[in-house]
Amino acid sequence: METSLRIAIAGLGAVGLKLAQALDAGIPGCTLAAVSARDTAAAAQRLAGLRRPVPVVGIDALEPLADVVMECAPAALLPQIVEPFLRAGKAAVVLSAGALLGREHLVELARAHGGRIIVPTGALLGLDAVLAAAEGEIRSVRMVTRKPVRGLVGAPYLAENNIAIEDIREPLRIFQGTARQAAAGFPANLNVAVALSLAGIGPDRTQLEIWADPALERNTHRIEVDADSASFSMTIENIPSENPKTGRITALSVIACLRKMGAPLRVGT
Ligand SMILES: NC(=O)C1=CN([C@@H]2O[C@H](COP(=O)(O)OP(=O)(O)OC[C@H]3O[C@@H](n4cnc5c(N)ncnc54)[C@H](O)[C@@H]3O)[C@@H](O)[C@H]2O)C=CC1
Ligand SMILES: O=C([O-])CC(=O)C(=O)O
């Protein structure tokens, strides 16, 4: 018998709006049930083109209306969005993966109540191979991110370390450290590094470099993995969405993740 998962979207920005439109156009096994936005009137306007209108409600009112919540909001809101769903034994798809670090109680909450936290591949690539390699022994994971200046400005790490990138003329390495350190310093820019670390050898062993490059148009991530099963390196060059920090492919990754949940044939780890 066909059952449909009721989907709630928290945050109607670059990712959330695309997702709402895709759900409205039809993803088998899924129905858009409710959305939450900072500005309810503006959200109602953004959703005016949908074939099937859905309620726009506060974050705290989402859980009773849906089976799955898609967290597409600023990182600071993560606990408020996902906790009610996890406590009810439901699923939360998390885009702000960096905000999971230091909030291990969310995983415990999911475990205690039979809920699930799902981190999609998002703006990255290769997490299927990283997960597989992690079943054996991974010796090292390294990632190099290069972004246009507008994809990095405003990150707290830059202000805290007096790094000015607005007027650079050459590529500048602005960070070298672990995924955990990057998540703290770049909460809206480096969720991909945290997703990579969670798939592989953890946030303290995953090494990261970040470059600001004034000549670049795309958010570029290269990952290099050395494991006892394979060595691999891969690069993705993301075309920015209307939010310059977020690649277009991010929303498509979430759509693919939802489609997979309801699919009779599932490809990839
Ligand atoms: N895991 C990954 O690969 C990636 C993760 N991200 C992360 O995904 C999240 C969403 O990204 P975007 O859509 O590009 O961000 P965005 O900034 O375009 O959208 C976020 C939306 O949340 C809304 N919002 C703010 N306060 C709210 C509240 N109290 N209630 C409901 N909504 C509220 C904002 O008004 C905005 O529309 C961000 O945390 C971003 O860092 C982005 C790209 C890749
Ligand atoms: O990791 C992120 O939050 C966003 C990102 O780099 C991208 O979209 O390329």
Side-chain angles (χ1 to χ4, degrees), residues 3 5 15 19 24 27 47 50 60 68 82 88 94 141 146 179 186 204 206 221 236 252 255:
T3 54
L5 281 176
V15 177
L19 181 58
D24 188 58
I27 297 178
L47 295 174
L50 296 195
D60 298 336
V68 180
V82 305
V94 167
V141 178
R146 295 173 193 276
F186 299 84
D204 298 312
T206 303
H221 308 292
I236 187 164
L252 302 184
I255 293 165

Side-chain angles (χ1 to χ4, degrees), residues 189-254:
N189 312 78
L190 262 306
N191 293 289
V192 284
V194 174
L196 174 66
S197 75
L198 295 175
I201 52 176
D204 298 312
R205 289 181 62 207
T206 303
Q207 293 294 324
L208 180 70
E209 271 181 32
I210 307 173
W211 291 72
D213 186 340
L216 211 58
E217 294 292 330
R218 298 182 176 200
N219 297 330
T220 302
H221 308 292
R222 176 175 176 80
I223 67 175
E224 295 168 2
V225 177
D226 182 37
D228 63 354
S229 56
S231 300
F232 48 91
S233 54
M234 290 180 264
T235 303
I236 187 164
E237 297 176 9
N238 286 326
I239 300 173
S241 63
E242 49 272 32
N243 176 354
K245 297 183 179 68
T246 295
R248 277 187 199 172
I249 203 165
T250 311
L252 302 184
S253 169
V254 180

Side-chain angles (χ1 to χ4, degrees), residues 10-11 38 59 71 73-83 96 99 103:
R38 185 175 43 194
I59 286 172
E71 178 279 318
L77 296 175
L78 177 81
Q80 195 189 339
I81 292 168
V82 305
E83 276 175 11
S96 304
R103 296 201 173 94

Side-chain angles (χ1 to χ4, degrees), residues 72-123:
C72 308
L77 296 175
L78 177 81
Q80 195 189 339
I81 292 168
V82 305
E83 276 175 11
F85 280 81
L86 300 178
R87 198 170 285 117
K90 297 178 179 177
V93 176
V94 167
L95 265 297
S96 304
L100 288 171
L101 298 187
R103 296 201 173 94
E104 283 71 23
H105 71 280
L106 294 176
V107 180
E108 289 313 314
L109 193 63
R111 201 192 316 276
H113 297 275
R116 279 180 307 147
I117 301 172
I118 298 163
V119 178
T121 306

